Each structure stands twice: as C-alpha cells, then as structure tokens.
C-alpha cells in the first residue's frame, strides 16, 4: 500500500563480524549478470537478532537474503525470527548478500547491503501501533466511506457502514485525527490523540456536520463554448378554428323614388333611369375571438455544461517551503470547489464525481534543479504527468487529461529524491486546478 513508507535510514544496524570484502559470485552468464546456482551447497549462514527501539524482541519477522547482483526474479534465501527475535538464514559460503527484514509490527523495512555469509547482524527498528474509533453524522446517516486521516502525513483509513475505523501501521506518537465525507464539513479531534505500542489509541470519536456543497458565488468565469444545439421539438397540433363572429346589422334601406304618373295604356315606354344607391350601412361589431389551440410538445433539452471543478494553491512560508523527495506538496489555501473537496493545510483533493478531467498544475521554485514533479492518483504517480525541473529558479507547469473515479484522491508530488524549495509568499509556490469535461 502506498501509505507505507520505506525508511532505510532509520534502521540502526550493527555488523558484529569482519570480512565484508567483495567475494566472487557463484556463477556468471555471458552477459555478466549474477545467476543463482541451485547446485551451490548451503554451507554457511547469516544470523542476528531483531528488536524494536524500545528494546523489545520482534518475533515472526521475515528475513530474506538475495545474492548481490541477482536478477529481480531470483529466489531469496528465507528465515523467520523466533520468540527471542533471533534468526538464522542458511546461505552458500563466501558470497555477499542484500538482506531485507520486514514485519507488520515495524514502521519501516530494513535493507542491509553487501553482507558477507558467516556474519551476524543486529537490527533495531521503530515499532508500529494503531488508532481506532467511530465516525458519526449529524442527524444520522450512513458514514461508510468517510476518509479518516492524520493531517500532514500519508496515513489514512476508511470508515465502515457502522462508522468504525482502524488505522494500522502508525508509528507511536501524538496526532491530530481528521475525517471528511462528501456533503459534510471536515472534522478534527479537539486535542491530539496519543497512541503507543502498549496502549493503542481507542475510542476516537469525530462527528461530521452536513453542509451545502454550493459555496458562495465566485467571480463569473469566462463563458464556455456554446454547446451543440439540441434537435427541434415536434410541431404541436393546429388549434381548433374559432367560432364565426355574429353577422353585422343590415344597413337602412335607401329612399324610394317618386312614383311617375300613370301613362296611357299603350306601348310600354322606355325604362326609367335607376335611382341613386342608398348609403352603405354601418359595419357590424367584431365577433368573439376563438379559443387558443393547445401548446405543442417541448423540444429535447440541449447538452449541459461542466458541473465539477476546483482550485487549490500554496503560499509557502519558511517553515513549509521545502518539499523533500517523494513527498506530496501541501496546499495552504482552497479556491472554489464543486463536486470535490480540499482541506487547507493538506496535500490532496477528493473527487466526488467520476469522469474525464483536464488537470493543470505548476510550481515556482528557488532550488531543486534535477528534481521532478508529477500527479499521483490514490498514491500512484501517473507516468504521463512527470515534469523535470531544469533550472533551480523558475516556473514549471503542466497540463494533463485524467479519467478519475468518485472517491479518488489527487496529489501533486515531488517525484524524485531531490528536495525542492518553493518561492515564498506572496508568490504562489504551487497550484492545482481541475475541470471536468
């Protein structure tokens, strides 16, 4: 698991025998690489005792001896410490071995280089302990998946459906314990929690309060590209024809012409001229407007824009400007975050909505030439995001497209063994921003 640290420098090793000169290998192939010869007699041994820093003997530790120069697929010689912490690993005589000692009871793995067969080695390593407790949600609810962490470290655990959690592999000491869950404000213990090997911390309780995921409205960002126009909805049915208006009143009849005198009966005289046409009658009142036809069906809604984005940055001080090799860069401040969260003073962003994200990241350095930075998802570096720092003082930036799942943890890491020093505030020493497509 990525949270477990390999700390060779903390192992205090005492070689109790002489003769650590380089011996010839058992067999060499034509390419010059060491190969384990299964026919070699196991006629010597490497022995010793494993203790923790309290002086307690460690039983059940696995001890592996691999010949110097052997390939990665070579089978090691293996031994296990007994109840008195002692181990004996049988090996061929007159050869040098790299010896690895590891145990779930220890906070680090010891690696001893160039140990000659026949030697005795004593190892003292830091023991581990655990922290256990319960996460509750205000108003009830299922806390399953709540992230429990030790701020400023990479130790973390996940709460079960009943809210209980157990964080193992933690060095003895005093820690603040924090917890976070989507839709709830992050919580931290009121006082540091002490845990020792003999008395692991129990009963740690953290209550989380629900909050709105929508923060205060920030400044209006640049207008995004216009989405594709959705298809035109089907034309609605033609409304029914309104009723015909009432017929207007008939205009008044024109005046009747005077009756001519009755002529003598004889041949019919010519027809008299037609009288003047009477004036046109007034226009009748307009009829009542017909009822409005039914509204047509609404067209399909167009594609929505992005709803997930976030931004964090670091304003370094003298106390936290240096980031050692292999460590994640902390962020002192958090900008607007939607469907993701970041706690100021920590080094990670928690993703709440799965999808494809465009990630931009950069650092401003005053020392660290030869180092490199990279994005890490759940503690594993994404190889395509590694950027080398080619100058001691300068600005290094990158952009990547990553597919992230809900619950993923994203960090910006010093992906090298070389420490880097960030530019001090008011300069922004490091920043990380995400935008979901």
């Amino acid at each position: 698991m990525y949270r477990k640290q390999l700390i060779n420098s903390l192992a205090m090793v005492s070689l109790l025998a002489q003769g650590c000169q380089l011996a010839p290998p058992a067999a060499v192939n034509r390419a010059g690489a060491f190969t384990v010869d299964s026919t070699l007699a196991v006629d010597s041994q490497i022995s010793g005792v494993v203790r923790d820093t309290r002086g307690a003997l460690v039983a059940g530790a696995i001890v592996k001896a691999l010949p110097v120069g052997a390939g990665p697929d070579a089978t090691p010689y293996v031994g296990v410490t007994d109840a008195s912490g002692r181990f004996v690993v049988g090996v061929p005589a007159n050869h040098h071995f790299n010896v690895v000692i590891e145990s779930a009871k220890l906070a680090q793995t010891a690696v001893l280089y160039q140990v000659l067969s026949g030697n005795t080695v004593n190892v003292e390593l830091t023991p581990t302990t655990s922290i256990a407790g319960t996460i509750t949600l205000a108003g009830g609810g299922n806390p399953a998946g709540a992230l429990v962490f030790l701020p400023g470290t990479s130790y973390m655990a996940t709460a079960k459906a009943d809210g209980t959690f157990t964080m193992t592999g933690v060095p003895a000491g005093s820690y603040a314990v924090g917890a976070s869950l989507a839709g709830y404000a992050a919580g931290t213990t009121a006082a540091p929690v002490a845990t020792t090997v003999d008395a692991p911390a129990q009963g740690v309780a953290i209550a989380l309060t629900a909050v709105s995921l929508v923060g205060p409205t920030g400044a209006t960002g640049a207008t995004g590209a216009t989405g594709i126009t959705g298809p035109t909805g089907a034309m609605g049915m033609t409304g029914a024809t309104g009723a015909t208006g009432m017929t207007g009143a008939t205009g008044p009849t024109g005046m009747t012409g005077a009756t001519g005198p009755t002529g003598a009966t004889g041949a019919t005289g010519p027809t008299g001229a037609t009288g003047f046409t009477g004036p046109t009658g007034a226009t009748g009142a307009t009829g009542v407007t017909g009822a409005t036809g039914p509204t047509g069906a609404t067209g399909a809604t167009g594609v929505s824009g992005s709803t997930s984005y976030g931004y964090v940055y670091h304003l370094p001080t003298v106390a936290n400007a240096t980031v050692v090799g292999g460590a994640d860069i902390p962020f002192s401040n958090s900008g607007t975050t939607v469907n993701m969260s970041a706690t100021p003073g920590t080094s990670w962003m928690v993703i709440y909505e799965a999808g494809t994200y465009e990630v931009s990241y950069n650092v401003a350095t005053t020392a660290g030439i030869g180092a490199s930075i990279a994005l890490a998802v759940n503690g594993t570096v994404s190889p395509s995001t590694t950027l080398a720092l080619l100058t001691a003082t300068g600005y290094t930036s990158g952009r990547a497209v990553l597919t992230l799942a809900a619950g993923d943890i994203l960090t910006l890491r010093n992906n090298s063994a070389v420490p880097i020093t960030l530019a001090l505030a008011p300069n922004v020493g490091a920043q990380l921003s995400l935008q979901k497509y």
Side-chain angles (χ1 to χ4, degrees), residues 100 136 142 169-170 244 254-255 287 344 367 377 400 424:
V100 178
T136 58
N142 186 349
V170 180
T244 303
M255 296 176 59
V377 180
L424 297 177

Side-chain angles (χ1 to χ4, degrees), residues 287-397:
V288 179
T289 302
T292 304
T295 302
T298 302
T301 302
V303 178
S304 299
S306 173
T307 59
S308 298
Y309 52 89
Y311 170 69
V312 292
Y313 58 98
H314 186 38
L315 298 175
T317 65
V318 174
N320 61 15
T322 299
V323 182
V324 299
D328 292 329
I329 297 174
F331 294 104
S332 60
N333 298 77
S334 174
T336 300
T337 58
V338 176
N339 286 333
M340 59 186 71
S341 68
T343 302
T346 64
S347 59
W348 56 78
M349 293 188 75
V350 181
I351 307 302
Y352 297 148
E353 184 178 20
T356 301
Y357 288 77
E358 181 181 66
V359 185
S360 298
Y361 53 103
N362 60 69
V363 294
T365 58
T366 59
I369 187 170
S372 63
I373 60 172
L375 296 174
V377 180
N378 296 327
T380 301
V381 168
S382 176
S384 65
T385 66
T386 300
L387 298 175
L389 275 61
L390 302 180
T391 60
T393 301
Y395 180 84
T396 303
S397 64

Side-chain angles (χ1 to χ4, degrees), residues 30-76:
R30 293 182 180 179
F34 187 97
T35 58
V36 176
D37 187 349
S38 61
T39 64
L40 289 176
V42 179
D43 52 2
S44 184
Q45 64 184 31
I46 295 174
S47 61
V49 176
V50 179
R51 295 181 173 84
D52 64 26
T53 52
R54 304 170 304 154
L57 298 169
V58 179
I62 305 300
V63 183
K64 302 176 183 178
L66 190 66
V68 173
D73 297 327
T75 301

Side-chain angles (χ1 to χ4, degrees), residues 132-166:
T134 304
I135 304 300
T136 58
L137 304 181
N142 186 349
L147 180 67
V148 186
F149 56 89
L150 305 184
T153 77
S154 59
Y155 296 103
M156 60 184 68
T158 302
K160 300 177 181 178
D162 62 358
T164 60
F165 69 89
T166 300

